């Protein structure tokens, strides 16, 4: 008998409503939920493919322990937890709490308990050796917010539903579905901007799926800061700054004006490859639009100046009068004091401590993951990896793989075996998001249509799989030793992680501004009401304007347009000359059918992992689709299959992130810089874009490329 259950997708920030067909305790199909009040019957291919992931025959459903001669054997949870606890305790006795490290992968962000559980686990152990995918994704965005607004959690949201001009820089929402912006069916939303007479301009080195649909402005990789400074230069020089709005909202305008005065459109043209006249026209059009918003994502975060670029985009929104107003950049709405709650959990921090190597700041409690290949096997003697594959996602993957083999203990919590846990001492099976209760309350500040949905587990966990929070609770309870106050902390956190999540969420929800106040407000929310309305409840039609004073935590609640660290980085901006012998620039790209390493299966997905080469560069090297090439940087080399494509121009090549040997594809992180001195200074972000490389046909020594 088949039953149909309402739930929602937790693969990305769109959080689309889904209908799950369940037969004999198995999810047989996922379809878009036609009655969902926000996604309105939309869901992407990646969300629908989760049914295949859920039931994959290669999925892990039993704890595994490494055998002395190699390979793995099944082991009971009790024995696995006891042995892991003994080895964690031994590592801390010998080397102190910092001997235990943790790496948290991207999927943790889409659970309302996983990230909090990981933070609690590390805090209870007393270790600051926490790393996450944030330093390959968006750490510079959060660092910029900490510097401009006094809190890392204050993320302005692009109000694309009401804007007349969207300037998208380094973002491909047609494939990402929108990031740091909960906007299901973002394709429709962006097309509606044009339909109502507005403009969408996409600044990207590659003619991405989004750029192909709108106005594309190609830019040389890694030069976004020059473009934005030149646009600010035009606003100041031509009197286009909304001085009245700035006087109310911000401080530091004179310092920013002085910095922008040194970057003329002509200078920016030399750096970016965009004509000075085009830069001037773009700045004027942006300032003249009835409403406008600059929005950037991973492409801007993973350059040498990612934090500066995020700060300059926000400055452009402020100076043009498009901040904290409909159609511009808004601080999203939440019924709780979000920043204060994040501070209590350690997720609102910036530079509270710095790395031992490289003197780089923590961001939201996590150190730069690129340092793992330096710290693992040295400071870190025991490592827990949860929902991640750092050998593929962190720079210096091959070096990290070797270091993992030197650990006293490696524990992986995951759905599958992967490149990172092939050397694990224990692999512990995690439940999927279809097997746990969830709510997306934490995403309310990023929603264009704020809504609340609760989902109970659609099925029981497969085999012996468990939720990550319960696994971490068990490991914490198994650790022995330490001073009495540390033992008490471990016990308290372990109990909290095992608590009834639905009951805790219900109390927090009912006591909030949208709650039923325990029966005093008839139409207020509770878990009971959300179960009665399983597609969710819309609580606002749009994020409200005028929230700056509630969100910004600086003195006077004013935005700091010119914080000293940003100004120092702007003053240090230089055109980085390409090293001799590396004439091409490597960039990444989003993929419609790929997500983490879960979906790297089948010929369609593998084909999407090819190296894009421009027709002129392919012709110069006599390359054709499917040819194998060696791609080499100063940091390493890989082999990849070629796809000749005019999506990239001469001098550019593109290879996606997160692939590796188990999927039969190249690991781009073997090409990215791993030296701490090459990381972005304000957030420790990995430089995944604008990497100088050369390519040559496999087995031949002929170099390909021209200066981009």
């Amino acid at each position: 008998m088949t039953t149909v259950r309402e739930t929602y997708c937790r693969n990305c920030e769109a959080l689309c409503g889904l209908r799950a067909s369940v037969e004999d305790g198995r999810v047989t199909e996922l379809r878009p939920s036609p009655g969902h009040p926000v996604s309105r019957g939309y869901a992407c291919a990646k969300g629908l493919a989760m049914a295949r992931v859920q039931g994959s025959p290669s999925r892990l459903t039993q704890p595994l322990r490494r055998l002395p001669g190699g390979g793995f054997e099944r082991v009971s949870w009790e024995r696995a937890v006891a042995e892991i606890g003994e080895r964690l305790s031994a590592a801390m006795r010998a080397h102190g709490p910092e001997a235990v490290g943790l790496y948290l992968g991207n999927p943790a962000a889409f659970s309302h308990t996983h990230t909090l559980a990981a933070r609690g686990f590390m805090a209870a152990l007393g270790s600051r050796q926490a790393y996450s995918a944030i330093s390959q994704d968006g750490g510079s965005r959060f660092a910029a917010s900490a510097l401009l607004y006094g809190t890392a959690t204050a993320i302005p949201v692009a109000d694309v539903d009401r804007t007349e001009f969207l300037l998208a820089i380094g973002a491909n929402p047609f494939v990402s579905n929108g990031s740091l912006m909960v906007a299901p069916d973002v394709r429709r939303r962006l097309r509606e901007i044009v339909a109502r007479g507005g403009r969408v301009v996409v600044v990207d080195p590659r003619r991405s799926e989004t750029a192909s649909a709108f106005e594309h402005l190609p830019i040389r990789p890694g030069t976004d800061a020059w473009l934005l400074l030149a646009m600010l230069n035009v606003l100041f020089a031509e009197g286009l700054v909304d001085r009245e709005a700035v006087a109310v909202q911000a401080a530091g305008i004179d310092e920013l004006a002085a910095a922008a005065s040194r970057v003329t459109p002509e200078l920016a043209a030399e750096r970016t490859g965009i004509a000075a006249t085009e830069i001037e026209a773009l700045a004027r059009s942006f300032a003249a639009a009835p409403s406008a918003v600059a929005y950037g994502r991973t492409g801007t975060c993973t350059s040498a100046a990612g934090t500066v670029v995020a700060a300059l985009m926000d400055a452009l929104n402020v100076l043009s009068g498009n901040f904290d107003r409909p159609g511009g950049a808004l601080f999203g709405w939440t019924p709780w004091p979000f920043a204060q709650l994040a501070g209590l959990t350690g997720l609102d921090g910036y530079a509270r401590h710095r790395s031992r190597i490289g003197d780089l700041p923590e961001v939201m409690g996590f150190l730069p993951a690129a340092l793992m290949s330096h710290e693992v096997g040295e400071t870190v003697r025991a490592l827990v990896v949860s929902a991640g594959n750092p050998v593929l996602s962190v720079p210096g993957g091959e070096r990290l793989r070797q270091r993992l083999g030197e650990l006293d203990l490696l524990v992986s919590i995951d759905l599958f075996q992967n490149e990172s846990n092939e050397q694990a001492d224990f692999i512990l099976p995690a439940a999927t998001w279809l097997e746990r209760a969830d709510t997306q309350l934490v995403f309310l500040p990023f929603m264009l249509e704020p809504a609340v949905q609760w989902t109970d587990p659609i099925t029981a966990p497969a085999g012996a799989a468990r939720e990550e929070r319960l696994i971490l609770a068990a490991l914490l309870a198994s650790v022995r030793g330490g001073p009495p106050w540390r033992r008490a902390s471990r016990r308290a956190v372990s109990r909290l992680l095992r608590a009834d999540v639905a009951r805790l969420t219900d109390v927090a929800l009912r006591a909030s501004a949208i709650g039923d106040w325990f029966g005093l407000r008839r139409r207020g929310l509770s878990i009971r009401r959300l179960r009665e309305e399983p597609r969710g409840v819309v609580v606002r039609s749009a994020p409200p304007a005028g929230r700056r004073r509630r969100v910004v935590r600086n003195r006077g609640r004013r935005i700091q347009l010119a914080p000293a660290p940003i100004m120092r980085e702007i003053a240090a901006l230089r055109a980085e000359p390409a090293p001799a012998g590396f004439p091409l620039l490597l960039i990444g790209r989003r993929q419609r059918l790929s997500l983490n390493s879960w979906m790297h299966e089948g010929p369609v997905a593998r084909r999407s992992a090819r190296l894009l080469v421009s027709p002129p560069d392919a012709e110069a090297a006599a390359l054709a689709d499917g040819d194998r090439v060696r791609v080499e940087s100063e940091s390493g080399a890989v082999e990849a299959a070629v796809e000749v494509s005019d999506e990239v121009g001469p001098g550019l090549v593109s290879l996606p992130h997160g692939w590796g040997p188990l999927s039969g594809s190249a690991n781009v992180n073997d090409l990215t810089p791993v030296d701490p001195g090459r990381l972005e200074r304000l957030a420790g972000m990995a430089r995944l874009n604008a990497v100088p490389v050369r390519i040559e046909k496999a087995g031949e020594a002929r170099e390909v490329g021209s200066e981009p």
Side-chain angles (χ1 to χ4, degrees), residues 12 48 90 104 111 129 164 214 219 268 346 487 587 675 686:
C12 79
L48 303 182
L104 196 62
S111 161
Q129 294 294 323
E164 298 299 321
F214 302 106
I219 187 171
R487 297 199 299 270
I587 60 174
D675 180 358

Side-chain angles (χ1 to χ4, degrees), residues 543-559:
R547 286 184 50 79
R548 172 185 55 86
R549 294 192 63 83
R550 290 176 176 267
V551 175
V552 176
R553 300 180 71 184
N554 297 326
R555 177 177 293 182
R557 306 292 179 175
R558 297 170 74 83
I559 301 163

Side-chain angles (χ1 to χ4, degrees), residues 100-120:
V100 179
L102 177 139
Y103 177 83
L104 196 62
N106 170 268
F110 303 103
S111 161
H112 74 308
T113 60
H114 191 170
T115 300
L116 292 175
R119 292 293 308 142

Side-chain angles (χ1 to χ4, degrees), residues 335-336 441 506-518 521 525:
W336 295 282
L441 287 168
D506 190 45
V507 170
L509 180 61
R510 299 182 74 180
S512 75
I514 55 175
D516 71 352
W517 296 355
F518 304 96
R521 296 176 71 234
L525 297 186

Side-chain angles (χ1 to χ4, degrees), residues 529-582:
R529 183 183 168 196
L530 292 177
R531 282 175 170 149
E532 293 170 351
E533 302 188 49
R535 297 186 186 97
V537 177
V538 175
V539 294
R540 301 191 70 100
S541 60
R547 286 184 50 79
R548 172 185 55 86
R549 294 192 63 83
R550 290 176 176 267
V551 175
V552 176
R553 300 180 71 184
N554 297 326
R555 177 177 293 182
R557 306 292 179 175
R558 297 170 74 83
I559 301 163
Q560 296 299 320
L561 293 176
I566 297 291
M567 291 297 101
R568 286 195 295 269
E569 291 299 304
I570 290 176
L573 275 178
R574 298 288 185 272
E576 295 190 1
F582 296 92

